[in-house]
Structure formats: structure tokens, C-alpha cells
Amino acid sequence: MASAAIFSSLRRRRSPSLEAFLAPVHLNEITLVQTLASVSGELVSSFSDHSFSLQRRNSRSLIRKIEIFVVLFEYLRDSSVKIPSTAMLCFKEFYLLVYRSKILLDYCLQSSRLWLLLQNSSISGHFHDLNQEISTLLDVFPLKEIDVSQDVREQIELLQKQSSRAKLFIDQRDEALRIQLFSFLDEFEKGRIPNRLELRIFFIEKLGIRDAKICRAEIEFLEEQIYNHEGDVEPTVSVLNGFVALTRYCRFLLFGFKEEEEEAMGEMSFGNPKKPRKGLISQEIGDTFLTVPKDFCCPISLDLMQDPVIISTGQTYDRYSIARWMEDGHSSCPKTGQMLAHTRLVPNRALRNLITQWCTAHGIPFDVLDNTDMSMEALTLAASTKAAIEANKATAELLIQQLSNGSQGAKTVAARELRLLAKTGKENRACIAEAGAIPLLHKLLPSPNPIAQENSVTAILNLSIHDKNKSRIMEEAGCLGAIVEVLRFGLTTEARENAAATLFSLSAVHDYKKRISEETGAVEALVGLLREGSSRGKKDAVTALFNLSTHVDNCRLMIESGAVAALVGELGTEGVAEEAAGALALLVRQPIGAEAVGKEEMAVTGLLGMMRRGTPRGKENAVAALLELCRSGGTATTQKVVRAPALASLLQTLLFTGTKRARRKAASLARVCQRCEAATLPMGSWGVGYSLTGNSTTNHGSSFTGDVTVPVSISVPVL
């Protein structure tokens, strides 16, 4: 399917693809005429029988013009008429014109009806541009120098006159529909819900959107335009978000849940729950059974980055994902947890070029955006308009009504759609919770239907991202226990992982950390997921355990639940080692925690390994853990750390190359080692030498607060 960018490029007289628009210079005059007759005839036969729901007159007019050229080419092909060189130049230009015509006609057939309405004037302009090109070609075409029949000559001359007089045509029927579409959005903007009968007539009778499947395709197409948004495409992203919300509301208002229920039950009957839909590029890559290089994937979405950008902390994300993160009100880096110094996004052109080369080498489509220097205001996630918010509220009410009174299939569908709706925007999360979704989702958590359980726990996860909803979830009697039960005995891996992520999200509130830890089986289940889960499951579990470790009253429970052994065991696991070391650094601040870690045979070795090969944050957390272990673990534990091989050289390296916090902790640990060494050596003996350089002197009694950094992002599945 052609993209809107192709047509905006045509309007600017710029070729969207060099290979696609190369003139056939290698063809002689006979072969070129034969090719033109073939491709033109194929275009006419392909589109003549199609019914265009929009742009009808412009489409038919263009096809009729091509038909006349087919007559000319077939006559030249079947005769031995000599063709002058000037005519050959015109034919080569016409070859390109036929190709552009096919793209435009394809676009009008395959695009979303709503999108065609929104682009009515622009697409009409594309048809007018092609007509002007035909007129220009005919003006210079040497018809008098070619011996053709009188009938063919008259048709070409008539076409020349018609093309020269043709003006831009905007179908008033289409334009009236476009205005009516905006009127529905205006109703929501004013806080009113549009008339149901008018919506039915508009969507079903006038646009031909006759079932839920077509309506869903309309939504997905509009969402893709938002994702691939260019600065010169109208309407703006905020308005497009409004139309997505309007169409989603109409999907359930007009078509109900029956078709969706049948689809959900069909998935279950084959024991093959449908996974959430991924983005277009991710889906195409998945189908090729390729492993995408880790550095090419966005840490938030886990999908291949289309437009990598660097934020103030130096981390790289896909522009779409980090823009959404910021739009949701976050002011920290998702990966490191550092506060953002500013919200400017700097294009990572070097990485983008590497991604482009990799995609080209593996035959994967990859569209690089022309303008990667867009300001924050021009990004794909502008603030939602009031119309979008009101439409989403109306949709949420329909979904919650089904969640309350619908059949089991309808409840499953409603949970899935609430999961999707709660995934984007704090306004959506707020209105869904205010409408009473949380108690109903809670009731669905014990469902024997894997899809229902998975969608309900993920919907709660998405709702919990909004701070006010955390208290609603925790205050809902039995809801926390039900989430823990899904974590322990969930019917799908994703349900268990998302339950762990929900506990992580809820544990961001300090007062809830002890309640979560004391919930029967919660910590043990997180430990089990950390030991045996998938990469993502381990990540969810370790971040939740880290949060719980920050509450001093949880230390004994964490030890008794086997968390210490599990955290030590994951110090060498990429992706979770930073958080594991950070959690250990918190636990060893208490004597019982230090004692438990000291008893783990591989604890010191694992932390030293992180100091040697870990990330900057991992090294920082590892040295902090060793320092606190020495401070709280007693003489025997301190000597065990001090006598560890290569500790002195690792500390010296950190003093020169580590982060600011890592250097401070390394200096403090070196002093601890010096004192321990001095106390155990006879007078006049020489030790291993934990000497400090002058520029590494630090505050000896600095607080531990802030010295452990972990990612704070929540991995939310994409439907």
C-alpha cells in the first residue's frame, strides 16, 4: 500500500523512490511501445471494474484518459509506423505518469475511507497534478509527425483540449461528508455525544463501514498515519487522535460485541490465544524469523527503532516511544531513572544509518523520516484534544457496561479494549478508573479464560501507571491478593509477567511496599519469576524486588523468601544485573541483610564481576553493595571483601573512569580496605596498597540515598 508521504512528495514534484521512477532508457522504440500498451492496458483493466467509494469522478476521469492512450499505444504496436525521437521522449515520461497514476488509484482503493475524507482536497490536487502532466505531454507530443488513423488522431486531439481546460475538481459530496465528520468531532468537543442515528447513517450507509472488522481497520490505518506523521501532513496529530477516538466509539456503539466475541471464542477453541498486535515493522520482522540486534530496539517498546533520538541522559529511544513517555507526564529517563535536564530530542543519525543498512541487507522495509529535527510540539503524540478525551470517555462507559452486564465473551473483549485504551494517555487512565472499571477488572482476574485473565491484569497494570489509580487499586478489597494470585498461578506467561509489573508499579508508593510484601506468596512468586522467567519476566520481577527492598521492614521477609539468593544468582544476567546489585546494596545496609549476602558464596565474586564488565550504572551499584556489605557485615565479611582478587585494581579503575557516585563509593570502599589492612598487618609490613589519588577524595559519610539507580519503566504489551 502506498503511503501518504508518496503523495505529498508528488505534490512537491519529488520522486518518492529513485528505482521506481527510473525511465526505461534501455528499451528501443518497439519494445517501449509494447511495454506502454501492456502497463496502460493492465492499469485500465485493474481499476475499471472497481467501485471507488470516494474520489469517484477524479478516478474515472483519470482511467478514461489512460484508456485513450491505450488505443494509441495498441495502434502503434500493431502497425509499422515510424516514431520520431521527440515522441519517444514523451513516451518515457508517460511511463512514469502511468506508474504514478497506478499508485494514486491504488491508494484511493486501499486507504481508510476516513483518511481519504480528511485528505479530500490534497488527493484531489494529486489527480489535478496528473491531469496537468497529461496536458503538458500532449502539448509537446508530435502527433502531426506520426501516421495514425483519423479515429485515433481525433481521440488524442479531443483529450488534449479537455486536459488543457480541466480545473481542480473537489467532489462536493465528499466535501460534505468531510464537513459532517468534523461536526461529530465538534459535538464531542462541546461535551455532547453525537446522535446515534446520524452516526449510523454516516458510517454505515454513506461510507460503507458495515461491520466491526472494517471499522477496526479504519482505526488501525489512522493510528498508522499518526505513527508515521510528517510535519506537512494535515490534519494535526491531536485532531487525528480525536478521529481515532470517535471511530473507536462508533465501533462498539454501532456494531456491538458479537463479532469480537466470536473471534475471541474462536481463538480459545483452538487453544491459541491471539497475541497483542505489534507494529507493522515488528510484524514483518517477526515473519522473517530474524533476531533484531538489541541496540536497534527501543528500550521502551522493544520494537525496531524508526527514528532513534538521544535524550539529556545520553540514552537512545525511538522518538514515538519517548515522546509518549514524556506526554504521560514523566520527567525521568525510563532506563536509568535520572531526572531529565531538558526535553530536547537529538536525532541519533549514526544509529539510524546502521538500522537502515541492516534493514536493507535483510530485505526489511524501513522508511526513514525526512524531518528528524521536529520540535516536541510537532511530534506524533501531541496533547489529546477535548474531543478525543470525551469520545474515549464515552467508549469507556460502553466497555464498562459490557464488563458489568455482558456475556463472558463480551467481558473478555471489553477487558482487551480497556487494556488498549488505558495504554495511552493519563486522561484515558483517569476516566476509565473513575467510571468504575477497577472493581470489574478485579472480578475478572480469577477467570478460567486465559485471554480474559491476561487482558484484565494488563488493563490494571496500565491503569496503575496513573498515580491516583494506585490508591484505587490498593483500596479495592481483595484486588492486591488477586493480582498476586495471577503472579503465582497465572494461566499465561504474559499474565504472570504483567502481574509482576503491576506490583512494581504499585510499589512506587512507599506506604504500599510493606503491604505488598506481606501479601501471601507475593515475594516468593517474584523470586520464582526472577529465577525461571523469560527475559522480560526477570526484568519485571527484579524491578519489583528492588522497590520492595527500599522499605527497611521488608528485609527479613526478603531473606526468608529466598530473594537474596535469587538476586545474587542474577548478577551475571544481562538486563537485570543492575537492579539485582541495587537491591542487594539496599538489603545489606541492615546487619541481617549483610549476614545473608555474606553467606552467599558467589555474592562477592558476582559483584566484582559487575565492577569489571558491567554497565556504568551496574558498576556503581556493585561497588555500593560491597561498601555497605563491609559497613554492616562485620570484620569477617569485610576481610572477605578486602581479600577478593583484583579488588584494588578495580577500585583504582573506577576512581578514574566511573560515574560520580561510583567514584565516591570506590573511594570510601578503598578507605575501608586501608583501615582493615592496617589493623590486620604487623607493624612495618606492606599490604596490597589501596592508595587514593588526590582527585578522588570524597565525603566519607555521604548518604546512600540516590546512590542506586535502576530503570523505572514499565513494559506494557502492545495490542
Side-chain angles (χ1 to χ4, degrees), residues 10 47 62 142 150 167 171 210 252 435 440 478 530 586 620 624:
L10 288 177
F47 295 103
L62 179 60
Q150 185 64 28
K167 296 180 180 179
D171 193 313
R210 295 185 173 86
F252 297 106
L440 298 171
L530 178 59
L586 291 168
E620 181 181 307

Side-chain angles (χ1 to χ4, degrees), residues 90-324:
C90 292
F91 289 164
K92 290 175 181 178
E93 287 298 318
F94 186 79
Y95 179 91
L96 305 182
L97 188 145
V98 171
Y99 186 84
R100 289 196 291 270
S101 298
K102 183 179 185 303
I103 291 177
L104 186 53
L105 292 170
D106 263 333
Y107 190 69
C108 291
L109 276 180
Q110 300 179 41
S111 290
S112 150
R113 295 165 173 85
L114 294 174
W115 179 251
L116 290 177
L117 276 185
L118 296 174
Q119 299 297 313
N120 189 39
S121 296
S122 176
I123 294 175
S124 297
H126 299 325
F127 279 104
H128 181 64
D129 288 346
L130 289 173
N131 185 77
Q132 291 296 100
E133 290 187 33
I134 290 173
S135 178
T136 301
L137 278 174
L138 291 176
D139 283 342
V140 298
F141 184 67
L143 183 60
K144 295 180 179 179
E145 300 178 21
I146 303 176
D147 185 17
V148 296
S149 67
Q150 185 64 28
D151 178 57
V152 173
R153 187 179 301 276
E154 288 176 355
Q155 290 188 61
I156 297 297
E157 290 174 347
L158 179 60
L159 177 59
Q160 183 179 15
K161 291 177 182 179
Q162 291 176 341
S163 299
S164 63
R165 292 197 302 263
K167 296 180 180 179
L168 172 66
F169 175 76
I170 299 177
D171 193 313
Q172 292 307 304
R173 173 189 170 278
D174 294 352
E175 189 64 12
L177 290 175
R178 188 184 70 85
I179 293 171
Q180 188 177 7
L181 180 61
F182 272 92
S183 73
F184 293 139
L185 204 62
D186 189 53
E187 286 289 293
F188 276 118
E189 191 77 30
K190 294 175 181 177
R192 300 192 295 262
I193 296 179
N195 181 273
R196 177 172 181 167
L197 179 59
E198 291 181 359
L199 289 171
R200 175 176 290 277
I201 292 173
F202 179 83
F203 277 86
I204 297 178
E205 297 181 12
K206 294 183 178 180
L207 286 187
I209 301 174
R210 295 185 173 86
D211 56 46
K213 183 177 180 180
I214 298 175
C215 197
R216 188 169 62 204
E218 291 281 325
I219 294 170
E220 291 174 353
F221 191 97
L222 292 179
E223 288 178 334
E224 190 155 333
Q225 301 314 306
I226 293 173
Y227 187 90
N228 296 321
H229 187 264
E230 285 189 282
D232 60 351
V233 174
E234 292 292 339
T236 61
V237 170
S238 58
V239 175
L240 283 176
N241 280 329
F243 286 119
V244 168
L246 166 64
T247 311
R248 185 182 291 117
Y249 171 70
C250 291
R251 169 184 167 189
F252 297 106
L253 177 73
L254 302 179
F255 307 113
F257 290 78
K258 184 176 181 181
E259 183 177 328
E260 304 282 350
E261 288 180 62
E262 292 173 352
E263 181 180 310
M265 296 309 294
E267 293 164 9
M268 285 309 303
S269 65
F270 291 100
N272 182 27
K274 185 178 181 181
K275 290 297 180 184
R277 290 185 295 274
K278 296 183 179 180
L280 178 63
I281 287 181
S282 299
Q283 187 176 7
E284 291 173 349
I285 291 174
D287 292 342
T288 63
F289 301 98
L290 289 175
T291 300
V292 183
K294 181 181 177 182
D295 292 340
F296 293 176
C297 295
C298 175
I300 298 175
S301 68
L302 304 182
D303 286 337
L304 181 73
M305 287 186 280
Q306 281 192 298
D307 187 10
V309 293
I310 304 170
I311 62 174
S312 63
T313 61
Q315 300 295 327
T316 295
Y317 300 92
D318 194 44
R319 186 185 292 273
Y320 175 84
S321 298
I322 192 62
R324 174 161 288 182

Side-chain angles (χ1 to χ4, degrees), residues 346-367:
V346 180
N348 191 336
R349 292 189 176 87
L351 180 58
R352 187 187 64 189
N353 291 336
L354 289 174
I355 294 173
T356 304
Q357 293 170 14
W358 183 84
C359 288
T360 301
H362 291 87
I364 296 169
F366 182 78
D367 296 324

Side-chain angles (χ1 to χ4, degrees), residues 15-66:
S15 298
S17 170
L18 179 61
E19 293 182 1
F21 290 102
L22 285 177
V25 293
H26 61 285
L27 300 180
N28 58 39
E29 61 182 45
I30 297 175
T31 308
L32 178 57
V33 170
Q34 291 174 341
T35 301
L36 285 171
S38 174
V39 297
S40 302
E42 182 182 344
L43 182 147
V44 171
S45 62
S46 297
F47 295 103
S48 292
D49 295 333
H50 283 292
S51 177
F52 289 84
S53 57
L54 299 163
Q55 294 291 341
R56 294 176 183 173
R57 178 169 160 180
N58 281 326
S59 299
R60 293 303 171 196
S61 176
L62 179 60
I63 293 171
R64 284 196 298 270
K65 290 180 173 67
I66 302 297

